[in-house]
Amino acid sequence: MQPDDVIEVREKSHQNPMILHARDATAHAPSPNWLEVDRENLKARVLGQPKRSDLVQIQLNEQLIVELYSK
């Protein structure tokens, strides 16, 4: 992902119950500071690359990622 990239849900999936549930379940969660989120239109714009310190809010096991890509 690069700055100014737009990530969005396909138009035909806008009424998908799972997507709508995920949107509603995260409605009060703050969005990452490296994303500009438009929940109503199911899209986001990348403002910049996330810094390592930005990822502490995400449960992340880096060792599992390294192991996956080393196979």
Side-chain angles (χ1 to χ4, degrees):
M1 291 185 296
Q2 300 297 318
D4 291 325
D5 280 356
V6 175
I7 305 158
E8 60 186 311
V9 174
R10 283 184 250 179
E11 188 67 36
K12 68 180 187 176
S13 298
H14 275 217
Q15 298 306 316
N16 181 307
M18 290 180 67
I19 292 173
L20 294 175
H21 175 71
R23 180 197 63 190
D24 295 341
T26 60
H28 298 294
S31 58
N33 59 4
W34 50 275
L35 282 178
E36 180 181 87
V37 178
D38 180 357
R39 293 183 196 279
E40 205 54 41
N41 293 309
L42 301 173
K43 66 171 68 173
R45 186 171 66 89
V46 178
L47 301 175
Q49 294 292 327
K51 295 178 180 62
R52 187 178 196 85
S53 60
D54 295 333
L55 300 176
V56 294
Q57 63 187 328
I58 300 171
Q59 294 258 340
L60 184 65
N61 187 335
E62 294 173 347
Q63 184 60 37
L64 291 177
I65 296 170
V66 171
E67 289 175 14
L68 174 68
Y69 283 101
S70 66
K71 291 182 180 182

